[in-house]
Coordinates of all heavy atoms in Angstrom, one line a residue:
E36 N 66.0 131.6 122.5 CA 65.5 131.2 121.2 C 64.3 131.9 120.7 O 64.1 132.3 119.4 CB 65.1 129.8 121.2 CG 66.3 128.7 121.3 CD 65.7 127.3 121.3 OE1 65.0 126.9 122.3 OE2 66.1 126.6 120.5
I37 N 63.5 132.4 121.6 CA 62.2 133.2 121.1 C 62.5 134.8 121.3 O 61.6 135.6 121.3 CB 61.0 132.8 122.0 CG1 61.2 133.1 123.5 CG2 60.7 131.4 121.7 CD1 59.9 132.9 124.3
R68 N 51.9 119.1 159.0 CA 50.4 118.7 159.1 C 50.1 117.5 158.3 O 49.4 116.6 158.8 CB 49.6 119.9 158.6 CG 48.1 119.7 158.9 CD 47.3 120.9 158.5 NE 47.7 122.0 159.4 CZ 48.3 123.2 159.0 NH1 48.5 123.3 157.7 NH2 48.6 124.1 159.8
Q166 N 63.4 121.5 123.4 CA 62.1 120.9 123.4 C 62.3 119.4 123.9 O 61.6 118.8 124.7 CB 61.4 120.8 122.0 CG 60.2 120.1 122.0 CD 59.0 120.9 122.8 OE1 59.2 122.1 123.1 NE2 57.9 120.3 123.1
C172 N 62.4 115.8 130.7 CA 62.1 116.2 132.1 C 60.7 115.8 132.5 O 60.5 115.4 133.7 CB 62.4 117.6 132.4 SG 64.2 118.0 132.4
G192 N 49.7 114.6 162.5 CA 50.0 114.3 163.9 C 50.9 113.1 164.1 O 51.0 112.6 165.2
P195 N 53.9 114.1 166.9 CA 53.3 115.2 167.8 C 54.5 115.7 168.8 O 55.4 115.0 169.1 CB 52.4 114.3 168.7 CG 52.9 112.8 168.6 CD 53.5 112.7 167.3
L217 N 71.0 130.0 161.9 CA 70.4 130.5 160.7 C 71.5 131.4 159.9 O 71.6 131.3 158.6 CB 69.2 131.3 160.9 CG 68.0 130.4 161.4 CD1 66.8 131.3 161.7 CD2 67.6 129.3 160.5
N277 N 82.5 122.2 167.1 CA 83.8 122.3 166.7 C 84.1 122.1 165.2 O 84.8 122.7 164.6 CB 84.7 121.3 167.5 CG 84.8 121.7 169.0 OD1 84.7 122.8 169.4 ND2 85.0 120.7 169.8
P298 N 100.2 131.4 143.3 CA 100.4 130.6 142.2 C 99.2 129.7 142.0 O 98.5 129.3 143.0 CB 101.7 129.9 142.6 CG 101.8 130.0 144.1 CD 101.2 131.2 144.5
L301 N 99.0 126.5 144.4 CA 98.4 127.0 145.7 C 96.9 127.2 145.6 O 96.1 126.9 146.5 CB 99.1 128.0 146.3 CG 98.7 128.5 147.6 CD1 98.8 127.4 148.7 CD2 99.7 129.6 148.1
M306 N 91.3 126.0 147.1 CA 89.9 125.7 146.8 C 89.5 124.4 147.3 O 88.3 124.2 147.8 CB 89.8 125.7 145.2 CG 89.8 127.1 144.6 SD 88.7 128.4 145.5 CE 87.1 127.6 145.3
A307 N 90.4 123.3 147.5 CA 90.2 122.1 148.1 C 89.9 122.5 149.6 O 88.9 121.8 150.1 CB 91.3 121.1 147.9
L313 N 83.3 124.6 153.5 CA 82.0 125.1 153.1 C 81.1 123.9 153.1 O 79.8 124.1 153.2 CB 82.1 125.7 151.7 CG 82.8 127.1 151.7 CD1 82.8 127.5 150.2 CD2 82.0 128.1 152.5
A325 N 67.2 120.1 163.5 CA 66.4 118.9 163.6 C 66.5 118.4 165.1 O 65.5 117.9 165.7 CB 67.0 117.8 162.6
V342 N 64.2 130.0 154.4 CA 64.0 131.4 154.3 C 65.2 132.1 154.5 O 65.6 133.1 153.8 CB 62.9 131.9 155.2 CG1 62.7 133.4 155.4 CG2 61.4 131.3 154.9

Side-chain angles (χ1 to χ4, degrees):
E36 283 183 302
I37 61 175
R68 186 173 299 115
Q166 187 65 17
C172 288
L217 295 181
N277 289 334
L301 182 54
M306 288 311 296
L313 292 172
V342 170

